[in-house]
């Protein structure tokens, strides 16, 4: 090969470039093997497994957007629809969490979740940033479905203030900085940036707070359709007639800002997060 390059008047590649090319080729081979292995896992006893086998389902939420309720509904839809939903260990998630909450979907965390999901599917809740492009596939998942819950930032601010008040009374740190609307803006801005990272990653199924909480049956039906599962929305929602079963339930009131926020604060929030209102108003 080197003689052929010389005959054409071309300089041979340096040893460093050859080594770099070999590393890239090896990485490509490993990614292909992971995907082939995942696809092989989808065949059980000679027949095709459930369509959601090898799927990572992500439930991303802005804070105070009923993201815990969304995760509960998705979990119950998956169970009722017969999906092979894995129960993840604290080790895979990075910390104990009843909601399968994952703070950061790093390559290491994704790989651990993929190992535990095996031939099944995994459902995780997160408030964090999206992983880099291709990271979910590189972890061995054959497919991904992302839901994202959002809410009017004016209502998020009020709910953050409520949470901060409860935290200070309990002597814990969650959102203690959110003493007023002004002090809540940084938290909301960061949260919107995390949601934007998921929107940039690919297809995202958006779920508004108002639809989730006040048009719940239709929202459950849309979620099930996205997952290609058949469920009865009334049966899914029946346990949550008792609001105490909804983790982190606060007030559950639509458009609180209209009666609980000053006109000056409402205008400030709307101007601060114009990018949100341009997209969702």
């Amino acid at each position: 090969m080197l003689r052929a390059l010389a005959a054409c008047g071309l300089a041979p590649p340096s040893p460093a470039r050859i080594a770099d090319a070999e590393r890239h080729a090896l990485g490509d081979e490993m990614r292909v093997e992971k995907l082939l292995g995942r696809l092989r896992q989808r065949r059980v006893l000679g027949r095709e497994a459930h369509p959601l086998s090898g799927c990572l389902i992500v439930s991303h939420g802005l804070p105070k957007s009923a993201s815990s309720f969304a995760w509960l509904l998705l979990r119950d839809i998956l169970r009722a629809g017969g999906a092979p939903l894995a129960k993840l260990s604290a080790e895979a998630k990075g910390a104990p969490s009843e909601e399968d909450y994952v703070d950061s979907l790093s390559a290491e965390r994704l790989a651990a979740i993929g190992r535990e999901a095996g031939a099944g599917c995994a459902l995780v809740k997160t408030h964090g940033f999206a992983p880099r492009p291709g990271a979910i596939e590189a972890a061995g998942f054959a497919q991904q479905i992302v839901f994202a819950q959002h809410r009017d930032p004016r209502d998020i601010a009020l709910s953050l203030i409520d949470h901060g008040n409860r935290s200070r009374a309990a002597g814990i740190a969650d959102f203690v900085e959110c003493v007023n609307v002004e002090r809540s803006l940084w938290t909301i801005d960061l949260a919107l940036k995390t949601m934007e990272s998921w929107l940039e990653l690919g297809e995202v199924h958006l779920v508004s707070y108002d639809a989730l909480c006040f048009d719940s049956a239709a929202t459950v039906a849309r979620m099930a359709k996205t997952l290609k599962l058949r469920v009865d929305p009334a049966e899914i929602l029946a346990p949550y007639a008792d609001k105490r079963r909804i983790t982190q339930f606060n007030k559950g009131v639509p458009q609180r800002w209209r009666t609980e926020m000053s006109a000056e604060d409402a205008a400030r929030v709307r101007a601060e997060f114009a990018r949100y209102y341009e997209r969702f108003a």
Side-chain angles (χ1 to χ4, degrees):
M1 178 179 176
L2 296 178
R3 291 194 188 95
L5 288 171
C8 295
L10 299 173
S14 67
R17 291 191 64 183
I18 292 172
D20 187 55
E22 289 174 345
R23 281 195 298 271
H24 281 292
L26 179 60
D28 290 339
E29 288 175 6
M30 292 176 65
R31 282 190 286 272
V32 169
E33 282 300 318
K34 285 181 179 179
L35 289 175
L36 288 175
R38 185 66 64 190
L39 292 172
R40 283 194 295 270
Q41 287 178 333
R42 296 184 65 187
R43 292 199 172 274
V44 180
L45 299 178
R47 63 184 180 183
E48 191 72 10
H50 194 281
L52 289 174
S53 292
C55 182
L56 177 65
I57 302 150
V58 177
S59 181
H60 176 272
L62 297 179
K64 308 305 166 189
S65 65
S67 56
S68 294
F69 187 34
W71 183 89
L72 289 167
L73 293 178
L74 287 167
R75 180 201 63 184
D76 293 352
I77 290 168
L78 289 163
R79 288 177 175 175
L85 181 61
K87 177 61 179 174
L88 302 176
S89 69
E91 182 180 2
K93 292 177 287 190
S97 170
E98 287 298 317
E99 300 171 345
D100 284 351
Y101 177 81
V102 180
D103 191 49
S104 173
L105 285 168
S106 63
E108 179 183 9
R109 189 67 52 224
L110 286 167
I113 293 169
R115 285 192 297 270
E116 292 201 358
C121 62
L123 168 66
V124 298
K125 172 189 169 183
T126 187
H127 293 308
F129 284 92
R132 61 176 177 77
I136 294 175
E137 294 85 349
F141 288 99
Q143 55 181 321
Q144 65 193 52
I145 300 173
V146 180
F147 295 88
Q149 296 84 50
H150 63 95
R151 187 183 187 184
D152 190 318
R154 292 167 292 196
D155 284 329
I156 293 178
L158 292 171
S159 193
L160 285 171
I161 293 168
D162 290 343
H163 196 141
N165 290 336
R166 291 194 299 271
S167 293
R168 285 187 293 276
I172 59 178
D174 294 354
F175 301 120
V176 292
E177 72 279 5
C178 298
V179 296
N180 54 35
V181 170
E182 174 70 26
R183 295 285 297 277
S184 302
L185 297 180
W186 182 88
T187 299
I188 298 171
D189 183 61
L190 178 61
L192 285 174
K193 287 174 180 173
T194 68
M195 185 176 73
E196 288 160 0
S197 73
W198 286 99
L199 294 173
E200 292 169 2
L201 187 66
E203 184 179 11
V204 173
H205 303 277
L206 294 165
V207 182
S208 75
Y209 173 89
D210 285 357
L212 183 61
C213 297
F214 310 114
D215 193 11
S216 303
T219 301
V220 167
R222 284 194 296 273
M223 287 175 162
K225 184 177 181 181
T226 298
L227 295 167
K228 297 181 171 59
L229 297 175
R230 290 188 177 185
V231 300
D232 181 348
E235 290 184 4
I236 299 295
L237 290 165
Y240 304 107
D242 181 356
K243 302 302 183 188
R244 291 174 298 180
R245 299 194 64 173
I246 302 175
T247 311
Q248 299 186 37
F249 178 79
N250 187 25
K251 290 187 176 181
V253 176
Q255 298 186 335
R256 288 177 58 190
W257 67 272
R258 291 187 180 278
T259 57
E260 298 182 40
M261 183 176 282
S262 71
E264 181 182 4
D265 280 341
R268 168 72 189 279
V269 176
R270 187 176 179 93
E272 187 78 19
F273 303 115
R275 67 187 190 276
Y276 173 88
Y277 294 100
E278 288 169 2
R279 180 162 191 153
F280 297 108

